[in-house]
Amino acid sequence: MLVEDARIKSDNFDTYSMLRIGDSVTKIQVTVMQKDAEPAGAGEMGLPPLAPAVANTIAAAGGPRLRAQPFYIEGKLRS
């Protein structure tokens, strides 16, 4: 993402460089709060970063770069 004078200078989505978790300027923390009111659960907020984190961990460990889900098809890693 190109930023100049506190304004985004990226032209469009085809030239926009997506912000990655490693580019964050602050620590990200997910907190699950107990409550009695609906809706309940923790899946919606904490789950979206899970698949990319697993894919990056597999690649960092020497496995293939996984770019599609599901990661496994017929018992084999899908790359």
Side-chain angles (χ1 to χ4, degrees):
M1 174 170 50
L2 300 173
V3 178
E4 186 177 299
D5 297 323
R7 294 178 181 254
I8 296 174
K9 291 292 192 175
S10 298
D11 295 328
N12 205 339
F13 284 117
D14 64 337
T15 58
Y16 176 75
S17 177
M18 292 293 277
L19 182 67
R20 299 180 63 98
I21 195 113
D23 299 326
S24 174
V25 295
T26 186
K27 182 180 177 181
I28 297 173
Q29 179 178 338
V30 176
T31 302
V32 178
M33 299 174 58
Q34 297 293 326
K35 62 180 190 167
D36 295 330
E38 292 291 329
E44 291 80 11
M45 299 309 284
L47 192 57
L50 179 64
V54 170
N56 286 335
T57 301
I58 291 170
R65 174 63 64 187
L66 303 175
R67 300 188 183 280
Q69 290 183 0
F71 293 151
Y72 285 88
I73 294 179
E74 297 177 7
K76 295 182 181 178
L77 274 176
R78 176 182 179 189
S79 56

